[in-house]
Amino acid sequence: MTFIQKVWAIVWKDIASELRTKEMLLSMCLFSFLVLIVFNFTFDTGLKNLRENISGILWVAFIFSGLMGLGRSFGVERDKGTLHGLLLCPISPWGIYLGKMIGVFIFMVVMEIFTLSVFTVLYNINIIPFLLPLGLIIFLGTLGFATIGTVFSAMSATTKARDVMLSILVFPISVPMIIALVKATYIILWGGAIQEIYPWLKILIAFDLVFLLLAYLTFGFIIEE
Amino acid sequence: MTHNRAFLKVFQFVTFFMMLLALYAIFVYAPVEKSMGIIQKIFYLHVPSAFLAFFAFFITFIASILYLYKRDNRWDTIAFCSAEIGVIFCTIVLITGPIWAKPIWNVWWTWDPRLTTTLILWFIYVAYLMLRSVAGENRRSNFSAVFGIFGFVNVPITFLAIRLWRTIHPLVITGKGINISTPMIHTLIIAFVAFCLLFFWLLINRIGLEKMRLKVEEIRASIEDKIHLEHEKQGG
Amino acid sequence: MSKDNYIIEVRGLVKKFGFKTVLRKIDLSLKKGDLLVLFGPNGAGKTTLIQILSSLMLPTSGKVWIAGFDTGYDREALHKVIGVISHNTFLYNNLSAHENLKFYGRMYKVMNLRERIEEVIGLVGLRGYMNDHVQTFSRGMQQRLSVARAIIHDPLIFFLDEPFTGLDQHGVEDFKQILKKFRDQGKTIVMTSHDLDRGLELCTQAAILKSGNLVYKEDVSNISQDDFKDIYFQHTGEQKMPVYVY
């Protein structure tokens, strides 16, 4: 119980802090908006045979702007010197990890809701009938992304060339997840049978569980000096 | 020490001999494959390299776990050296693959599960090496060990995902088997053994080199330290 | 080990960054109620020592016990009994003073948090600024709030790394009063300072750290302030009167 309260305290602190300036949320949303626009030009999505790309565009928008949030998750703590304060609190490394990870997850979900609404309008796709399966896929994808991203954010925050390093670490590891997300989203958006997404769902769940477990086992090593 | 050096000398000689033997087997002993022609010979280079790249990354994975468990810097050195050599073999695979594929499949590259997984693997371990070069000294070993574990665990998931992804589309590669004759199998085995020896020879030497580098750095630091302390004593 | 007699016990502590040795075989033991001030020039390893004592860093070799807890293993339990103040305030700029204290109070699971926040914020003299954002605070006010943050869970042991940094004369006086109060309450304090006068005024133990060696440690009741200063200058080779003519 105490553990959950402490984790929640970290999440609350990140959210309260962000709501003061809304700097990060706004830039994340704006960025994903821009991605949607730019891809519209590069792929001319009005053409029927290119519709397959649309689920990919959605995830590129999610992941690239999610990366902005990730970079700041530990980056800000380090720049402002609050990381040591956090590490000195009586909570296990896993607790710190969970707190930061849930924070990133929530910011990403807010950005994704915004992006989806813009997406619906710009690409003229009605997502209302698919809201449930799509929500599930987005939940699993965002969780997986926040899971590995928080680990790498804690790493890259201490290195030179922080943002570049974060992308280089996150992308190769997230490949199976991205494939599964794009395919599953494609099946859902074009009215495929729900059974078709099961194999992808399995991969997503496996990915999330495996890396959550690994984060649990290794996060203590990352924050020690 | 001398014992060790003698062993290395013998090992080096055997490796060299096996490499020569492999070259002979590939170009003289093994017949030219009927349908593919001379280009098929790249296989003797390609297949052992692919195996050794995976094997090297597996060593990195195991050494990373052992490092975190035992906190012994030797495991960190082994993990690093193995990853470095693994990247070299992985690069060989990625270069020889397309050279073979162009005349045979008519494309340089196809997003086949094995090819794609190898490419992702290459990216993961290049990232591993970059992480080592940018991370601070007292964090480097922990960071790279954790990434070494994440990277390797990711490989089977990636392979599964890519296989599932590609089987939805018609396969570019059909099961066009190669007519392997007995001399070809012999050649492949010889090449395999030669490459394994080469790998271990490289790994042992790379680890030795890295240990020497660490030793030199340590000596330099201790000399600088002594000078610093001496200087202070005189100043004070 | 005699770790039960001492509240802080350091045995053979060595810290290296890569191959650079920062602390060399430090042995140190303090009883409950001691106030140790670590003096030393820049780069002597004072901050590193404080960070190792507060478990932010792990020693390369050697052992550290704080209140019976091994800093390498019982970190969570250890964190409950220590308070750390450094020149870095550990405060979140976008949050108000009250929110900062609320966050840290929750992390330490402080009982009656609302009253406790009132109490500590009064103690550091920031009662009127409760709901102001930290980024509007002056450096001195931030440092005061940092003190409030460090004492919110009423720790037994304090680690202070140059705590006077950024405080004005008034703030220094207030802070000294707080420190004296802690000393009288029997809290154990380890503090670094390069200011001999301020440090000596407060401490019960004085130590000199130089190039990673603990070259001197003595109970201040055994030695006069002037004698200590002589020893300090002898060891560090610094000028007797610091020259501030820039």
Side-chain angles (χ1 to χ4, degrees), chain A residues 73-107:
Chain A
S73 177
F74 274 95
V76 168
E77 298 264 4
R78 215 182 138 70
D79 290 344
K80 308 268 192 231
T82 48
L83 189 58
H84 279 172
L86 194 59
L87 295 181
L88 280 169
C89 291
I91 185 169
S92 60
W94 171 240
I96 294 177
Y97 169 81
L98 270 187
K100 296 305 281 183
M101 193 271 268
I102 294 171
V104 168
F105 179 83
I106 291 174
F107 292 139

Side-chain angles (χ1 to χ4, degrees), chain B residues 71 137-138 214 217-218 221 225 228-229 232-233 235-236, chain C residues 15-21 24 58 210-211 213 234 237:
Chain B
R71 299 305 182 102
E137 254 172 358
N138 43 342
L214 291 174
E217 221 171 275
E218 190 182 350
D225 203 46
H228 173 71
L229 287 180
E232 254 184 8
K233 211 177 270 171
Chain C
K15 180 67 185 177
K16 290 182 179 180
F17 290 141
F19 291 109
K20 199 171 173 294
T21 313
R24 304 156 207 273
L58 287 174
K210 186 197 154 200
S211 304
N213 283 310
Q234 220 172 36

Side-chain angles (χ1 to χ4, degrees), chain C residues 161-179:
Chain C
D161 189 11
E162 302 286 356
F164 296 119
T165 315
L167 287 179
D168 55 15
Q169 201 53 44
H170 193 61
V172 169
E173 286 311 316
D174 283 357
F175 188 58
K176 273 193 205 159
Q177 290 311 314
I178 295 174
L179 278 184

